[in-house]
Amino acid sequence: MELLVSFIVCFIAGIGAGLGTGFAGMSAAAAISPLLITFLGMPAYEAVGIALASDVLASAVSAYTYGKNKNLDVKNGLVMMVTVLLFTMVGSWVSSLVPSTTMGNFSVFMTMILGVKFIVKPVMTTKESMEALDAGKRIVRSILCGMLIGFICGFVGAGGGMMMLLVLTTVLGYELKTAVGTSVFVMAFTAFTGAISHFAIGGMPNLWCLAVCVLSTLLWARIAARIANKANPLTLNRVVGVVLVVIGVAVLGVNLLS
């Protein structure tokens, strides 16, 4: 019975994470971490490690799909990636020193706030405005923003991918689909670094939960990415926003009742 419950929770977590990743470059931890922490009683550090590991293949397959549809900027994404990778390891180390309850509450809070943002204020940047920013300024901003994003991704995972999406669209002027494609491209490497750091520091997680989360997230990310490249930006924003808010409210409700 316990194995069945774990499967159901992990599969549902993978659905939320996969849809979020494929539609808007969301870090899998925004969906997976709160559910594993709340419904399975898993230590937050272990849950984040599983979420980051789930992010690797899901982000990679999403990036491939966006790249096939010419919605991926590899050149500028590499600049941000280096900084993000370095600070992901720093964030992972810091998170090992923080109480589990703090990390779990932060995950739930970030999930709800990001969901509301995408519903209320969708990202509607165009490709024309994306090309208007000076290349030099874009590099400097990529480095500074990459430091913050990498630390957050390593610290708790939640918000890393979504913050990258916000940075690419608002600070660096990317249009939505190119921003999502570039975001998942960077997140594939960031998540890999974060997962390795978590496993090296905290040891291997529950392998059953890891396998189910990875496969479920990969499946739904593939489906979402294919749909996203054919959908309009407003629909993408609304769908991801609703998914995040529903997950956040559900987890918060369980926390209040427990």
Side-chain angles (χ1 to χ4, degrees):
M1 185 65 181
E2 183 178 341
L3 201 62
L4 177 61
V5 171
S6 297
F7 174 81
I8 293 174
V9 172
C10 291
F11 187 77
I12 292 176
I15 294 176
L19 294 179
T21 299
F23 277 125
M26 181 189 85
S27 170
I32 292 179
S33 296
L35 294 181
L36 297 189
I37 293 168
T38 303
F39 294 102
L40 299 183
M42 186 177 292
Y45 195 75
E46 180 180 355
V48 172
I50 289 177
L52 290 171
S54 302
D55 230 347
V56 178
L57 292 179
S59 293
V61 74
S62 296
Y64 172 76
T65 303
Y66 278 90
K68 275 181 53 178
N69 289 274
K70 303 185 186 303
N71 290 318
L72 172 59
D73 185 359
V74 176
K75 182 179 179 180
N76 288 304
L78 288 172
V79 175
M80 182 178 290
M81 181 192 302
V82 174
T83 311
V84 170
L85 287 174
L86 292 174
F87 278 80
T88 294
M89 289 186 284
V90 175
S92 180
W93 174 74
V94 173
S95 69
S96 68
L97 308 176
V98 178
S100 294
T101 53
T102 301
M103 294 173 62
N105 291 336
F106 182 76
S107 297
V108 175
F109 178 75
M110 284 297 297
T111 299
M112 296 180 64
I113 293 300
L114 291 169
V116 171
K117 188 276 170 192
F118 272 77
I119 295 174
V120 176
K121 191 177 180 181
V123 177
M124 302 297 291
T125 314
T126 63
K127 283 194 174 182
E128 287 73 22
S129 62
M130 169 183 166
E131 300 172 354
L133 184 64
D134 177 74
K137 291 182 179 179
R138 182 173 294 172
I139 291 177
V140 173
R141 293 180 184 181
S142 294
I143 293 173
L144 294 176
C145 294
M147 293 170 64
L148 176 62
I149 294 170
F151 182 83
I152 290 178
C153 181
F155 181 75
V156 72
M162 295 296 262
M163 279 192 63
M164 193 176 303
L165 179 62
L166 293 176
V167 166
L168 290 173
T169 53
T170 60
V171 181
L172 301 179
Y174 279 52
E175 61 88 27
L176 183 60
K177 290 184 181 179
T178 304
V180 174
T182 305
S183 175
V184 291
F185 171 73
V186 176
M187 284 302 297
F189 295 92
T190 304
F192 178 77
T193 305
I196 293 299
S197 298
H198 269 65
F199 297 158
I201 295 172
M204 288 300 295
N206 183 305
L207 295 181
W208 167 251
C209 291
L210 175 64
V212 176
C213 284
V214 168
L215 294 176
S216 179
T217 304
L218 176 61
L219 170 65
W220 292 98
R222 173 63 172 164
I223 294 173
R226 296 185 67 177
I227 295 174
N229 278 278
K230 298 178 181 180
N232 66 74
L234 185 59
T235 300
L236 298 184
N237 279 273
R238 296 279 167 77
V239 169
V240 173
V242 170
V243 169
L244 289 175
V245 171
V246 169
I247 291 175
V249 170
V251 174
L252 182 61
V254 172
N255 285 341
L256 292 176
L257 293 174
S258 60

